Amino acid sequence: MQRRGIRDLFSSLGASVGSEEDVPAPQSRTSRGTGSADASAVIPDVDGDCVGATTGSGNAAKSSFSIPRRDQQAESKLMTPVALDSREAKELVRAIRSSCRDQSILQNLSFYRISLICSPDLERAYQARRQKMRADGYSQAELVESFAFVSLPNHPAAYDLVHHGFSSGQSCSSPLGDAALGVYLARHFDVCTLGLRVQETSLQRWVMVVKFIKGRVKTVSELAAQEGAECLEPTPNFDCHVARNQCHGEPMMFSNYRQIYLSSQYYLYEFDEAASSGMAQRPRQCCPHALVFCAYEGPPIGG
């Protein structure tokens, strides 16, 4: 298969969503200051000098990658850059590392920029949803906060998500559920961002880290999770769909990447009687947490 065909394949997947366990969000919370930057400005996708990096293991990275130059006037008021050696950055990198399905990629994965996101409106909606779930009798385990991921084509693509959150219809439909009625998040950082590694030895990615609450999870049968199956509607009295067969233990290769991608996502939704569709356009149990710029330099996975 030619490289162009491969790129087209993965670009058709749309916006996505570790060890095989969920990634818990760090318990500590710190104040995130806001800047005075103009949120309507944009930062070039890749431009400028290297401003430092940390590898997946937390060590300083030495790379020839050209990465975005930080521009205070281009930063959103809702995103605050943090130093790569700060406690917040280290906690986030640790969570990202633990989410990777293929731990062998970590020695070749570097992080160049991390910005924490603090959107007061989205945070209030997120906390309100959590309080409602608690009032409805959800268990503590169902209310645990975890991390998931969305791969972005460039830095400006983050602005709408930072300001408005995740809306139904933003990703392509999958057998886990109708994308017009819910949102998709990726469980594994590497599956979400490094799929093109099948024929590429170097990649650069903007990735949004999303904090979310799974709530009550409906496991979808293996048959329903197969590609080409009819999309499922959200299940009453549940908040999330996951695939029963998540291809545990299978090495990620070009031949099975799409199936691994589809079966390792979270499908989140929220019922809303006031909406014409009966579903909330923006499920409140997920909220942008951080924006990361990372790079991979290493061997491609098997074909």
Side-chain angles (χ1 to χ4, degrees):
M1 180 177 293
Q2 296 180 348
R3 181 169 299 182
R4 179 179 177 84
I6 293 173
R7 290 185 182 276
D8 291 342
L9 170 63
F10 290 109
S11 65
S12 69
L13 293 174
S16 45
V17 178
S19 63
E20 304 301 341
E21 300 179 353
D22 300 320
V23 183
Q27 295 301 308
S28 60
R29 290 289 182 269
T30 58
S31 173
R32 303 173 196 170
T34 58
S36 58
D38 179 3
S40 65
V42 299
I43 294 179
D45 183 16
V46 177
D47 182 29
D49 301 326
C50 178
V51 293
T54 180
T55 63
S57 61
N59 298 321
K62 296 181 179 180
S63 173
S64 59
F65 273 116
S66 175
I67 69 170
R69 179 186 295 111
R70 180 184 176 195
D71 185 345
Q72 291 285 1
Q73 293 184 346
E75 287 288 352
S76 166
K77 294 180 180 180
L78 306 182
M79 292 188 286
T80 304
V82 295
L84 296 176
D85 60 354
S86 66
R87 179 171 57 84
E88 296 96 328
K90 289 180 179 179
E91 287 180 348
L92 193 61
V93 169
R94 188 179 304 117
I96 290 173
R97 293 180 67 224
S98 67
S99 83
C100 288
R101 189 178 187 274
D102 181 0
Q103 293 285 302
S104 68
I105 66 110
L106 296 179
Q107 62 182 341
N108 298 312
L109 183 64
S110 302
F111 299 90
Y112 289 87
R113 285 185 59 183
I114 295 177
S115 295
L116 297 182
I117 298 169
C118 183
S119 174
D121 291 342
L122 296 181
E123 185 65 29
R124 279 192 293 268
Y126 177 79
Q127 295 300 334
R129 174 62 173 150
R130 191 173 196 174
Q131 292 174 8
K132 178 65 164 58
M133 296 167 82
R134 182 178 290 109
D136 288 343
Y138 281 64
S139 69
Q140 191 60 39
E142 292 169 333
L143 294 172
V144 168
E145 187 174 275
S146 302
F147 280 152
F149 311 96
V150 173
S151 182
L152 303 174
N154 48 47
H155 188 283
Y159 287 128
D160 184 66
L161 295 178
V162 169
H163 283 272
H164 304 295
F166 294 90
S167 298
S168 57
Q170 288 181 329
S171 56
C172 61
S173 291
S174 159
L176 293 182
D178 188 347
L181 302 176
V183 301
Y184 279 91
L185 304 176
R187 176 191 297 263
H188 304 305
F189 181 88
D190 55 336
V191 175
C192 167
T193 62
L194 302 179
L196 288 176
R197 201 162 50 97
V198 289
Q199 283 200 347
E200 301 284 353
T201 58
S202 63
L203 291 170
Q204 303 178 36
R205 286 286 185 274
W206 287 102
V207 183
M208 183 164 288
V209 181
V210 185
K211 62 181 181 181
F212 77 106
I213 303 167
K214 291 191 298 296
R216 292 170 180 160
V217 179
K218 172 72 171 179
T219 301
V220 178
S221 69
E222 296 180 26
L223 180 61
Q226 296 299 312
E227 182 180 359
E230 183 178 355
C231 289
L232 302 175
E233 293 187 352
T235 305
N237 302 316
F238 288 87
D239 311 280
C240 176
H241 287 175
V242 297
R244 178 174 300 163
N245 176 20
Q246 297 181 18
C247 304
H248 295 320
E250 294 185 21
M252 189 166 66
M253 306 179 70
F254 178 76
S255 58
N256 68 355
Y257 170 76
R258 184 176 178 85
Q259 181 59 30
I260 290 175
Y261 175 92
L262 293 174
S263 66
S264 62
Q265 296 184 93
Y266 298 105
Y267 174 65
L268 303 179
Y269 49 86
E270 180 183 0
F271 287 91
D272 182 0
E273 296 179 356
S276 58
S277 65
M279 305 302 300
Q281 183 182 6
R282 302 180 187 276
R284 295 173 296 166
Q285 65 266 38
C286 57
C287 184
H289 176 74
L291 185 64
V292 173
F293 183 76
C294 65
Y296 173 85
E297 289 184 281
I301 63 176

